[in-house]
Amino acid sequence: MADLKYSVKVYVLNEDQEWNNLGTGQVSSTYDEQFQGMSLLVRSDSDGSVILRSQIPPDRPYRKHEETLIVWYEAENHGLVLNFQDPAGCQDIWKEICQVQGKDPSVQITQNISDESEEDFDEMSVIGNTVVLPDCELNTLDQIANIVNSVLASPIRRERLALILKNEAYIQKLLQLFHTCENLENTEGLYRLHEIIKGILSLNKSCLFEIMFSDECIMDVVGCLEYDPALDQPKRHRDFLTNDAKFKEVIPITNSELRQKIHQTYRVQYIHDILLPVPSIFEDNCLSTLTTFILSNKAEIVSMLQKDHKFLYEVFAQLKDETTHDDRRCELLIFFKELCSFSQALQPQSKDALLETLTQLGILPVLKIIMIRDDLQVRSAAAVICAYLVEYSPSRIREFIISESQVCKDSDLFINVIIKQMICDTDPELGGAVHLIVVLHTLLDPRNMLTTPEKSERSEFLHFFYKHCMHKFTAPLLAATSEHNCEEDDIVGYDKNKNCPNNNQTAQLLALILELLTFCIQHHTYYIRNYILNKDLLRKALILTNSKHTHLILCALRFMRRMISLNDEIYNNYIIKGNHFEPVVNALLDNGTRYNMLNSAILELFEYIRVENIKPLVSHIVEKFYNTLESIEYVQTFKGLKIKYEKERDRQSQIQKNLHSVLQNRVVCTGTIEEMELKEEICFMEDAEEAVMPPLEDDDEFMETKRTQEGEAVIPPLEDDDEFMETKRTQEGEAVMLPLEDDDEFMETKRTQEHEDKVDSPKRTSSDDFKFSSSYSACAAIGTGSPSGSSVVRLVDHPDDEEEKQEDKEDETSPKKKPRLSS
């Protein structure tokens, strides 16, 4: 160990409690004859003189701090600190000290100390945050690289290193060494400079970025980053930035500061994207300040351009000019696309001001004109710009679209132009259509629509869209699923092929349309439901399950699945009436035993219906398709649907039985009440006649009763003195006593007093029916119950009823003879 030496800085605490730097040297642990024991010896790097000789006694407290410091006190107010450049060297010397004192090297302090001593140690360890850089020379590049890398783990030391680099113009000195190394072809020096510059960028300090990315330094920084030790040959990034990357001014920029800021931003973005490694998930913030620096530059550029009204006015004038060449127009649009991209760095208030400026200059009418041109690159740039504008302020774009409807035909509306460009995109990958479908999605999203007491943007715009635009949006879907659509084998060329769902490009377009319609089902419940029902859209979408493109079949299934998830009664009835599960079942059967996304999607749809127990759909599926699906046993979905169906059927059957019983009881109770009322009325009439009726004359004449309009029961004529009045059962089971008439007079009865019904005790017959006395003969005829309150109602006439009635007459006592009404 005596031969091993490590680079350290030695600090000593003087009498004034200030730290003095004794110098930089090499430390070793050696046996010292003077102390008759082990000691720490530090010799100066400059002249080899002894900076420090310190005995290691067995009872002195030593403390290791932050993996690069060893601190101790040799006397009161005489503290010493060894600041190691390499943590490995610090660990080796620490092991030597612990070995002398018989301690485990894993400890941080070798002896027990008092609280005051611990505070002194803490104060001494602050010296570890001191950073001292050697002179910037070729022979110190290794040491500089080690120092820069060592401070990255300590925020305080990073701050102090950044301060030194800024105040001592250290970066400029390093870049001068870069030219020296490059002229001398000193490859090792260039590798060290690459490591140093990358470490300085990793300090993440904006004050250093201002120096490194200045016009004087930025190309030299790029040059240092070219010499990556991991590459066999350096990349010529400076040649690319100088010769290949050309800055084109679509309109001459007179502001020199703006031009310089644009150049700087491009080069810094190049360094960030190309020259620096992509941070790992554990280093997300290591270049955060560099990203902020770039965004700040972009915001400044946009603000400068926004203030230059003459510049923007000239750009718009050339875009509107019909004589402008397509190449020139494309350059102008690419400039606007970059401007919109840079505007994402603006604060909301600045974005509002920019959009207001562009709107006043007529950006939307210009985009509308450009999007109908033939040049694909021009249309693509316009689509991107439109997406930026709609993403930031959809309400402003909706307002413009609605205002157009008052002066334009449907086909000329801006939103219909967008739809047309989406449908007619000739890109095989539909890059432009993807941008435009995002625009439509944002415009149709109710979650970003404003609602005020005076105005509902949601209802106004959706009503407008479904009236003026929806038929154009769904036109490809309706055309591809029409009965006259051709088969793929009969197609020659794009024009005939464009409506065939088996065509790859058409399939991608239909998938985009179905995805947006699925979104509409979720968020436009009323509007989209009416449209689906009127156009029978689900049936047309499910025709696409015959397509050879699985992704398109899945889109159609998602469309139906979202509809079912609403559990809307109207949707459910529509699905059942149209038998729309048939193509789904056919798709499952056609897929066979393949376990793929299509299989999972269909099974999930049926499983959702089972779990949510959507009763109408469960019944429909079981009744129509269970015989076909019962053989699928690798999932329990269809058996579960059958179980749900049978349980519901049993439950409904039980409900019907209970309902029939309740209704039957209600009929019985109603009949009983009516019969009791009739019984009371008959008894009242009998008592009244006995009390107040005058004697009838002996002339064998009888009184006739009047028939009511409703066909109620009438009183038959009295036969003679020994006969009694009988009432006939009406159609509703009620009996009405009409007033008896004499030849010329009308006899009116009065109740003279309240009295109880005079009823003879009934007796049971062999059939357990009750028999009543003559005064209740009319009541018995309609099934009046027993005195206990229960009743027997005969729902069927039995043959022996007449015999029972005859027996009743024989058992009855003779009633009192009725007085005859006087003539």
Side-chain angles (χ1 to χ4, degrees), residues 516-556:
L516 188 58
L517 290 174
T518 303
F519 171 83
C520 293
I521 288 176
Q522 183 68 30
H523 297 282
H524 305 167
T525 51
Y526 170 75
Y527 297 94
I528 189 64
R529 185 176 64 197
N530 287 345
Y531 190 82
I532 289 173
L533 298 180
N534 289 335
K535 297 294 184 180
D536 198 9
L537 208 58
L538 179 59
R539 183 185 63 80
K540 293 178 171 59
L542 291 176
I543 292 175
L544 300 177
T545 56
N546 297 319
S547 171
K548 70 178 184 180
H549 298 284
T550 304
H551 73 90
L552 182 57
I553 301 174
L554 291 172
C555 288

Side-chain angles (χ1 to χ4, degrees), residues 133-144:
L133 287 172
D135 294 336
C136 191
E137 299 174 354
L138 287 176
N139 60 351
T140 60
L141 287 177
D142 282 343
Q143 186 178 351
I144 295 170

Side-chain angles (χ1 to χ4, degrees), residues 151-394:
V151 303
L152 296 178
S154 172
I156 296 177
R157 299 185 72 197
R158 288 167 62 167
E159 292 284 349
R160 298 195 176 186
L161 177 59
L163 191 62
I164 293 171
L165 292 172
K166 178 184 176 183
N167 294 338
E168 297 182 8
Y170 212 85
I171 293 175
Q172 291 86 335
K173 295 176 184 178
L174 289 170
L175 296 178
Q176 289 174 4
L177 277 180
F178 165 71
H179 288 289
T180 302
C181 290
E182 200 168 38
N183 292 334
L184 297 174
E185 297 184 353
N186 184 348
T187 306
E188 289 300 322
L190 293 170
Y191 288 163
R192 296 287 78 77
L193 283 167
H194 172 276
E195 187 177 358
I196 292 169
I197 294 299
K198 191 168 73 171
I200 293 174
L201 289 171
S202 298
L203 293 175
N204 215 18
K205 300 299 177 185
S206 58
C207 61
L208 300 182
F209 293 155
E210 293 289 348
I211 298 170
M212 299 175 75
F213 301 146
S214 63
D215 289 343
E216 298 79 14
C217 298
I218 189 167
M219 295 307 291
D220 291 337
V221 170
V222 172
C224 290
L225 294 174
E226 288 179 354
Y227 291 92
D228 188 347
L231 300 176
D232 295 334
Q233 293 292 330
K235 299 291 185 180
R236 298 301 177 186
H237 297 293
R238 284 172 292 174
D239 289 343
F240 173 80
L241 291 173
T242 304
N243 301 321
D244 297 340
K246 298 295 183 180
F247 175 62
K248 183 176 290 187
E249 299 182 29
V250 291
I251 301 293
I253 297 176
T254 58
N255 188 338
S256 59
E257 182 184 357
L258 173 60
R259 186 186 296 105
Q260 184 273 334
K261 188 68 70 175
I262 293 172
H263 284 301
Q264 182 192 57
T265 304
Y266 177 80
R267 291 165 180 169
V268 175
Q269 188 78 58
Y270 184 87
I271 292 172
H272 180 274
D273 295 341
I274 306 299
L275 299 179
L276 294 180
V278 178
S280 69
I281 59 174
F282 306 106
E283 302 172 328
D284 283 341
N285 296 323
C286 72
L287 296 176
S288 59
T289 305
L290 180 58
T291 304
T292 303
F293 181 89
I294 295 171
L295 293 176
S296 176
N297 269 16
K298 290 180 177 179
E300 288 184 35
I301 292 170
V302 174
S303 298
M304 291 182 193
L305 288 172
Q306 186 179 348
K307 293 175 183 177
D308 192 346
H309 295 289
K310 184 178 179 181
F311 178 87
L312 291 177
Y313 180 82
E314 181 64 25
V315 173
F316 274 99
Q318 293 192 27
L319 281 173
K320 294 177 182 179
D321 190 353
E322 291 292 334
T323 62
T324 303
H325 193 271
D326 284 346
D327 292 339
R328 177 63 175 167
R329 182 175 281 104
C330 184
E331 292 175 357
L332 294 169
L333 280 176
I334 290 174
F335 163 76
F336 261 116
K337 185 171 74 171
E338 290 297 315
L339 179 65
C340 292
S341 175
F342 281 17
S343 69
Q344 301 304 301
L346 294 175
Q347 295 296 320
Q349 186 176 2
S350 301
K351 279 187 179 180
D352 282 333
L354 175 63
L355 187 59
E356 181 64 30
T357 301
L358 295 179
T359 303
Q360 290 177 357
L361 290 171
I363 183 67
L364 295 176
V366 168
L367 289 177
K368 179 179 173 181
I369 294 171
I370 292 171
M371 291 181 76
I372 61 176
R373 302 192 71 86
D374 296 331
D375 189 282
L376 176 61
Q377 190 175 6
V378 168
R379 294 204 311 267
S380 177
V384 174
I385 295 170
C386 185
Y388 276 123
L389 298 176
V390 171
E391 179 185 4
Y392 180 66
S393 183

